[in-house]
Amino acid sequence: MSKHKELIIGMFGFGVVGEGLYKVLQQTPSLKARIKKVCIKHPDKKRSAPSELFTTDKDEILNDKEINVVVEVIDDANAAFEIVKTALKNKKEAVSSSKKMIAEHLQELLDLQQKTGRSFLYESSACASIPVIRNLEEYYDNDLLHSIRAYCNGSTNFILTKMFDENLGFKEALLLAQQLGFAESNPKLDVEGFDAVNKWTLLLNHAYGIVTSPDTILFNGIQNVTKSDAAVAKSRGQQIKLVAQAKKLVLGGVGAFVLPQFVTAESPLAFVKNEYNGVVIESGFADQQFFYGKGAGSFPTASAVLSDISALRYGYKYEYKKLYHHTPHVINDDIYLKVYVSFNQLSDIPKEDFEWIEQWHAQEDRKYLSGVIALKKLKEGSWWKENGTSLILEPDPIIENIEERRLKKKSLELAGLH
Amino acid sequence: MSKHKELIIGMFGFGVVGEGLYKVLQQTPSLKARIKKVCIKHPDKKRSAPSELFTTDKDEILNDKEINVVVEVIDDANAAFEIVKTALKNKKEAVSSSKKMIAEHLQELLDLQQKTGRSFLYESSACASIPVIRNLEEYYDNDLLHSIRAYCNGSTNFILTKMFDENLGFKEALLLAQQLGFAESNPKLDVEGFDAVNKWTLLLNHAYGIVTSPDTILFNGIQNVTKSDAAVAKSRGQQIKLVAQAKKLVLGGVGAFVLPQFVTAESPLAFVKNEYNGVVIESGFADQQFFYGKGAGSFPTASAVLSDISALRYGYKYEYKKLYHHTPHVINDDIYLKVYVSFNQLSDIPKEDFEWIEQWHAQEDRKYLSGVIALKKLKEGSWWKENGTSLILEPDPIIENIEERRLKKKSLELAGLH
C-alpha cells in the first residue's frame, strides 16, 4: 500500500467549497491529505472547524515549510494569482479553481510551472466536475482532435433551459437562477459570456496548445436571446445554447469562439439541461465522445478540487503535451460563419458586412434573417452585441472555403433550387 | 518538441481495426509510431498494404529486438494471451482489445506486468471509445467512488433500442443488428451477457481493485426479454437495458452484477441508444458523471487502441491504484435485489426463494411479479435464466439491510398503506 506522498495542505478560502473539502478530507484518512491551515478574510465569522485552523495571514501558509500543497478556492482573481505564484515559487504544488485568474495569466503560469517544476492543477476551473482538462491532456494527447464543443457555463444553461422548457422570459429565468444559487447576484460574468470564454481559453490550451487571452476570442453571452428566438428554435425542433466551440481547420489553425448557437435534437448536447455542463469531442476515426456532469455549484467544484489533490499524491502534473510536445496550434480567424440574427429595425443591421443573406423573415413583433458573415467582420463590429439584436450561430456554423460555397450557392440558384 | 519515445510496432491481425490503425499511423507522422510488421493468418488474402509488411510467423515480431510495442487486434482469446504474455516477457509493451482474454487471465496479467515492469494497455476492451479505464484509474483514483453503472455492450443496446423504439421482437431486432454489423453471426457472447461480464471484470478492477473472474459475477443477457416486458416498461415510462452495475456497500465490499434492468427516463443512461455505450459514475460529494460514446464497431475500437499507442509514447502504464495503493475491495454477495420476473407458468417460479413478493400481475399472454430476492438465491438457482422466464432488475435494485426493509414494509402494511 501507499507509494504515495503525504500531503500537508494550506488552503485559502472557507466558503462552501472550502468547507466541503475540509470535511471530506477529515472523513477520508486514506487520502493521506491533511489541511494544516486555512487563510480567511473575516476571522469573526462562525465556522464549523476549530479556531486554531484559521489564520488571516497568508504568509503563515505560504512560508510554512511543512505545507507542500496550496489550495485556493477564493473569489478574488488578483489575490488568487499572487497566492498561486508565491506558492509555486516557494516550491509548493498548487491547486486553483479560478478560471478568470488562469485565463488572464496563462503565459505567466505556464512559465512559472516550467521554471519551478511544480505542479499546478485546476480541473475544477472548467466544466467543474467533468474531468475535461485531464482527458484532453492525457487521453486526447495526439493531434487527432478534430473538434470540441462544450457548454461550460451552468448558469446560462440553466436560464436557457427555463426559457425553453417553462417558457420563461430571459429576466424571469435569470431571477430563478439567482434564487436557486446558480447565478451570482451580479450575473454579468456568467450571462454575458465572460466566464465561458475564460474557461475556453484554458481548454484551448489543453486541446490544441493554443496560448491566448480571453479578449482575443470572439464571444458573447445569452443576454440578448429573446422569447421569439426561442420560438424560432422550437419551430425547427432545436434549442438555443451557449456553445464554446473549436475546430481544427483544413486551411490550418483552429477556429474558436463562444456564442449562442442552435443545437439540433440529435446532438448529445441537446440532452444537457439546467445547471449541467456537457462536452462533445470529435477525434481521429471521426468518433464522437460525450462527457456530462454538474457544471455549477459548490459540490461539483469541490469534487474536482478533490480529484486534483488526489492526483498530487502521485506526483501528477499537466505536461501541456499539445504545447510542448507537438506543434502548438494558433487561432485562425479567417473563417465564415452561418448566422441567424433577430432584430427590431432593419437599420440596425449592416447588410454590407454579410457575404450573403439567405432568408428574411418579418413577424409581427420581431424580424430575423439568416446569412453568412466573416468572423473577422463580427470581430470588427459590435452591432450584433447591441441591445435588441440577437446573433445565434446555425448548427455546424463554420465555412472554411467561402468561394466554393459561393459557387455552389450560385449553381443552385441557376438551377432554380434556391 | 518531442520528449517522447519512438514506437516501432508489431501488430497481430489486419481486420478492419488493424487496417484502420495502419492507415491512421501512416497519415500521422507526428505520432512517431511505425508499424514494422503485421502477423496474419491467411497470407493469400488481398490486402491494401505492401506484401513485405506481412508475416505468418509470430516470432518474427515477438523476437524482433527493434519492435518495442506489440498490438494485438485478433479474435482468438487463447492466441491473444500467448502473444501478450510473450511480448511482456520479451520486454515489449503490449496493447490488446481482447476483453475475454484479459478477464480470464486477469491475475496472471497483473503478475506479468509487475514482474516485467512493462506497460500493458487495453482501453479498447471496455466501452470501446469511451476512456473509462483511464478515467477510473487516473481521475477516480481515490476510494470515493460510490457506484458505477454502464451499458458496455453495443449489440444488446442496439437490439433493446429497436425493441423499444420500433416495436420489434427480440429475434427481428437481433437479425437487424447482424445485418448492420453490430452483432456477430454467433451472437451468444453478446446477447447472453458474456461479453458484458468480461468487460465488467476488468472495470471492477480499475474501479475498486477487485481481482475476480467472470464466472464469479452474477450475470445474464437479454435473450429472454420479451415484447410484453417492453410493454410493461413503456407503461411505467421506463426502458429495459443491460446494465452492468457495481456499488460500494455500507456493510463493506462491493455489490456487482450484470443484468437487464428497468431504467427511468431521468437517468442519463436513458439517453444511450443503439450501438452506443454509456457509463455513469457517482463519486464523492454525491456527484454524477456521465460518459458516452460508440461502444461497438471497428472505428471506435481503433480509436481506443490508437489512444493506447499514443499513451505509450509517454511511458504511460496503469498503476492499478485501487489494487496496489489502496485497500482493494472484494465482491460482497450478501445483498438483496428488487426484481421483476415475467413467466408463462407459475410453477416455473420458486416462490419460497423470495424474501417477499409485492405484486402479482396476470395479463392475457403473460404473467409477472415483482419482489425481493437474495442475490445468493439467484446465484444458486438457474430458473430465472430458463427460456420463457425473464428477470429484470428494478431501478436502484440493491437492498443492503433486509431486516430494516422488512420492518418498514410491515409497518406500512399495518398502517393499511400496502
Side-chain angles (χ1 to χ4, degrees):
Chain A
M1 260 195 73
S2 128
K3 282 192 214 171
H4 48 76
K5 182 165 155 184
E6 192 167 346
L7 305 180
I8 315 287
I9 297 170
M11 185 158 77
F12 286 81
F14 203 73
V16 275
V17 175
E19 192 180 336
L21 267 174
Y22 171 72
K23 283 185 182 158
V24 168
L25 290 177
Q26 264 196 322
Q27 288 159 22
T28 321
S30 68
L31 284 178
K32 299 213 169 197
R34 176 170 69 86
I35 296 184
K36 184 181 179 187
K37 209 53 144 181
V38 179
C39 182
I40 47 164
K41 244 183 176 167
H42 306 290
D44 304 331
K45 228 188 245 178
K46 199 153 170 56
R47 291 187 170 86
S48 58
S51 62
E52 55 281 17
L53 188 69
F54 298 99
T55 175
T56 53
D57 176 10
K58 65 183 193 316
D59 292 333
E60 252 194 75
I61 287 175
L62 294 170
N63 293 334
D64 183 332
K65 290 226 153 51
E66 196 197 16
I67 286 174
N68 50 19
V69 177
V70 167
V71 175
E72 74 79 11
V73 285
I74 61 175
D75 247 350
D76 175 338
N78 293 328
F81 180 60
E82 287 308 313
I83 289 164
V84 168
K85 193 164 71 174
T86 312
L88 293 172
K89 282 186 180 162
N90 290 1
K91 300 288 178 198
K92 301 175 191 314
E93 325 280 359
V95 174
S96 165
S97 61
S98 175
K99 38 253 160 195
K100 184 166 185 285
M101 179 275 278
I102 302 165
E104 286 172 356
H105 298 280
L106 187 57
Q107 184 65 61
E108 288 162 277
L109 288 166
L110 288 167
D111 293 345
L112 265 167
Q113 286 169 81
Q114 291 246 294
K115 218 167 75 183
T116 63
R118 295 293 130 169
S119 178
F120 174 45
L121 303 181
Y122 42 85
E123 188 61 73
S124 65
S125 66
C127 301
S129 66
I130 304 176
V132 59
I133 296 179
R134 213 84 73 77
N135 272 287
L136 285 172
E137 191 64 32
E138 301 305 323
Y139 194 75
Y140 304 97
D141 59 351
N142 49 52
D143 56 2
L144 293 165
L145 190 75
H146 295 330
S147 76
I148 166 168
R149 279 173 301 150
Y151 306 160
C152 52
N153 180 275
S155 314
T156 48
N157 202 39
F158 180 87
I159 292 168
L160 290 170
T161 303
K162 292 299 164 195
M163 287 176 72
F164 266 77
D165 291 3
E166 297 174 21
N167 211 25
L168 301 187
F170 173 76
K171 281 184 185 158
E172 291 164 278
L174 170 58
L175 197 67
L176 184 62
Q178 287 171 320
Q179 283 164 352
L180 294 175
F182 296 138
E184 307 293 327
S185 54
N186 173 7
K188 193 180 147 82
L189 274 180
D190 287 324
V191 164
E192 299 187 13
F194 293 97
D195 179 74
V197 78
N198 282 333
K199 291 166 177 168
W200 210 231
T201 307
L202 309 184
L203 290 181
L204 284 173
N205 184 263
H206 291 283
Y208 291 112
I210 293 167
V211 183
T212 189
S213 70
D215 51 20
T216 66
I217 299 171
L218 180 73
F219 79 97
N220 199 8
I222 61 163
Q223 68 276 17
N224 294 347
V225 176
T226 66
K227 265 182 154 174
S228 83
D229 298 329
V232 170
K234 272 187 190 170
S235 72
R236 300 165 160 202
Q238 299 177 344
Q239 299 176 44
I240 299 168
K241 299 287 193 178
L242 184 61
V243 182
Q245 187 158 0
K247 187 182 178 189
K248 209 155 76 173
L249 302 173
V250 176
L251 49 85
V254 169
F257 39 83
V258 179
L259 289 170
Q261 183 166 344
F262 290 106
V263 172
T264 62
E266 296 75 43
S267 169
L269 289 175
F271 175 76
V272 183
K273 302 216 160 188
N274 293 317
E275 76 274 26
Y276 280 84
N277 280 188
V279 183
V280 172
I281 289 173
E282 284 177 24
S283 66
F285 294 92
D287 191 47
Q288 223 179 44
Q289 302 281 315
F290 174 51
F291 301 82
Y292 168 89
K294 278 206 176 144
S298 53
F299 282 155
T301 305
S303 128
V305 172
L306 189 71
S307 87
D308 281 344
I309 293 174
S310 198
L312 285 177
R313 293 177 305 149
Y314 304 98
Y316 180 75
K317 51 176 82 169
Y318 302 138
E319 291 188 53
Y320 299 95
K321 290 172 185 162
K322 318 290 169 52
L323 177 61
Y324 298 130
H325 301 179
H326 293 268
T327 310
H329 285 280
V330 288
I331 292 181
N332 182 344
D333 279 343
D334 203 11
I335 55 173
Y336 297 79
L337 297 171
K338 289 184 266 179
V339 300
Y340 153 109
V341 186
S342 74
F343 51 91
N344 294 321
Q345 305 203 0
L346 189 52
S347 56
D348 296 341
I349 308 296
K351 290 185 294 295
E352 65 287 0
D353 276 8
F354 283 75
E355 295 303 307
W356 63 80
I357 290 174
E358 284 185 359
Q359 294 189 354
W360 293 95
H361 283 263
Q363 293 171 318
E364 209 166 298
D365 55 338
R366 188 97 173 141
K367 303 165 189 62
Y368 68 87
L369 64 83
S370 50
V372 171
I373 191 166
L375 184 143
K376 280 181 177 161
K377 288 275 185 205
L378 289 178
K379 271 202 167 171
E380 286 163 12
S382 68
W383 58 268
W384 54 278
K385 284 192 179 195
E386 299 299 330
N387 202 354
T389 306
S390 167
L391 178 133
I392 301 171
L393 293 181
E394 298 287 351
D396 197 10
I398 296 176
I399 295 178
E400 287 198 54
N401 189 332
I402 193 75
E403 288 313 324
E404 189 185 82
R405 192 61 73 103
R406 210 189 295 281
L407 283 170
K408 196 175 147 198
K409 190 175 168 282
K410 197 143 260 170
S411 63
L412 283 171
E413 280 167 359
L414 284 171
L417 292 171
H418 211 269
Chain B
M1 257 193 76
S2 124
K3 282 192 213 170
H4 49 76
K5 182 164 156 183
E6 191 167 345
L7 305 180
I8 316 287
I9 297 171
M11 184 159 78
F12 287 81
F14 202 73
V16 275
V17 175
E19 191 180 336
L21 267 174
Y22 172 71
K23 283 185 181 157
V24 168
L25 291 176
Q26 264 195 323
Q27 287 159 23
T28 321
S30 68
L31 283 179
K32 301 213 169 197
R34 176 169 69 85
I35 296 185
K36 185 181 178 186
K37 210 56 147 181
V38 180
C39 183
I40 48 165
K41 245 186 178 165
H42 306 290
D44 305 331
K45 228 187 245 179
K46 199 153 169 55
R47 292 187 168 86
S48 59
S51 62
E52 57 277 18
L53 189 68
F54 298 99
T55 177
T56 53
D57 176 10
K58 65 183 194 317
D59 292 333
E60 252 194 74
I61 288 175
L62 295 170
N63 294 334
D64 183 332
K65 291 227 152 52
E66 196 198 15
I67 286 174
N68 50 19
V69 177
V70 167
V71 175
E72 73 79 11
V73 285
I74 61 176
D75 247 351
D76 175 339
N78 292 328
F81 180 59
E82 287 307 313
I83 290 164
V84 168
K85 193 165 71 174
T86 313
L88 293 173
K89 281 185 179 162
N90 291 1
K91 300 288 178 198
K92 301 175 191 315
E93 325 281 357
V95 175
S96 165
S97 61
S98 174
K99 39 251 160 195
K100 185 165 183 286
M101 179 275 279
I102 303 165
E104 286 172 355
H105 298 279
L106 188 56
Q107 185 65 60
E108 288 161 278
L109 288 166
L110 288 167
D111 292 346
L112 265 166
Q113 288 169 80
Q114 291 244 296
K115 217 166 78 182
T116 63
R118 296 293 129 170
S119 178
F120 174 45
L121 303 181
Y122 43 85
E123 187 63 71
S124 65
S125 65
C127 301
S129 65
I130 304 176
V132 59
I133 296 180
R134 213 84 73 77
N135 272 288
L136 285 172
E137 191 63 33
E138 302 304 324
Y139 195 74
Y140 303 96
D141 60 350
N142 48 52
D143 56 1
L144 294 166
L145 190 75
H146 294 331
S147 77
I148 166 166
R149 279 173 301 150
Y151 305 160
C152 52
N153 179 275
S155 315
T156 47
N157 202 39
F158 180 87
I159 291 167
L160 290 170
T161 304
K162 293 298 164 194
M163 287 177 72
F164 266 77
D165 291 4
E166 297 174 23
N167 212 26
L168 300 188
F170 173 75
K171 280 184 186 159
E172 293 165 279
L174 169 58
L175 197 67
L176 185 63
Q178 288 172 322
Q179 283 164 354
L180 293 174
F182 296 138
E184 307 293 328
S185 52
N186 173 6
K188 193 180 147 82
L189 275 180
D190 287 326
V191 164
E192 299 187 12
F194 293 97
D195 178 75
V197 77
N198 283 332
K199 290 166 178 169
W200 210 231
T201 307
L202 309 184
L203 290 182
L204 284 173
N205 184 261
H206 291 283
Y208 291 112
I210 292 167
V211 183
T212 190
S213 70
D215 52 19
T216 66
I217 299 171
L218 180 72
F219 80 98
N220 199 9
I222 61 163
Q223 68 277 16
N224 294 348
V225 175
T226 66
K227 266 181 154 175
S228 83
D229 298 330
V232 170
K234 270 187 190 169
S235 72
R236 301 165 160 201
Q238 299 177 345
Q239 300 176 45
I240 299 168
K241 299 287 192 178
L242 184 61
V243 183
Q245 187 159 358
K247 188 182 178 189
K248 210 155 76 176
L249 302 173
V250 177
L251 47 87
V254 170
F257 40 82
V258 179
L259 289 170
Q261 184 165 344
F262 291 106
V263 172
T264 62
E266 297 74 45
S267 169
L269 288 175
F271 175 74
V272 183
K273 303 216 161 187
N274 293 316
E275 76 274 25
Y276 281 83
N277 281 186
V279 183
V280 172
I281 289 172
E282 283 177 24
S283 66
F285 293 93
D287 190 47
Q288 223 180 44
Q289 302 281 316
F290 173 51
F291 301 82
Y292 168 90
K294 277 205 176 145
S298 53
F299 283 155
T301 305
S303 129
V305 173
L306 189 71
S307 87
D308 281 345
I309 294 175
S310 198
L312 286 176
R313 295 177 303 149
Y314 304 98
Y316 180 75
K317 52 176 82 169
Y318 302 139
E319 292 188 52
Y320 299 95
K321 289 172 186 162
K322 318 289 170 52
L323 177 60
Y324 298 130
H325 300 179
H326 292 268
T327 309
H329 285 280
V330 288
I331 291 181
N332 181 344
D333 279 344
D334 203 12
I335 55 173
Y336 296 79
L337 297 171
K338 288 183 266 179
V339 301
Y340 154 109
V341 186
S342 74
F343 51 90
N344 294 320
Q345 305 203 359
L346 188 53
S347 56
D348 296 341
I349 307 296
K351 291 186 293 294
E352 65 285 2
D353 276 8
F354 283 75
E355 295 303 308
W356 64 81
I357 289 174
E358 285 185 357
Q359 295 189 355
W360 292 96
H361 282 263
Q363 293 171 319
E364 209 165 300
D365 56 337
R366 190 97 174 140
K367 302 165 190 62
Y368 68 87
L369 63 82
S370 50
V372 172
I373 191 166
L375 185 143
K376 281 180 176 162
K377 288 275 183 205
L378 288 177
K379 271 202 167 171
E380 286 163 12
S382 68
W383 58 268
W384 53 278
K385 285 192 179 193
E386 300 299 329
N387 202 355
T389 307
S390 168
L391 178 133
I392 301 170
L393 294 180
E394 298 287 351
D396 197 10
I398 298 175
I399 296 178
E400 288 196 54
N401 189 332
I402 193 75
E403 288 314 324
E404 189 185 82
R405 192 62 71 102
R406 210 191 296 281
L407 284 171
K408 196 175 146 196
K409 190 174 166 284
K410 196 142 259 169
S411 64
L412 283 171
E413 280 166 0
L414 284 171
L417 291 171
H418 211 271

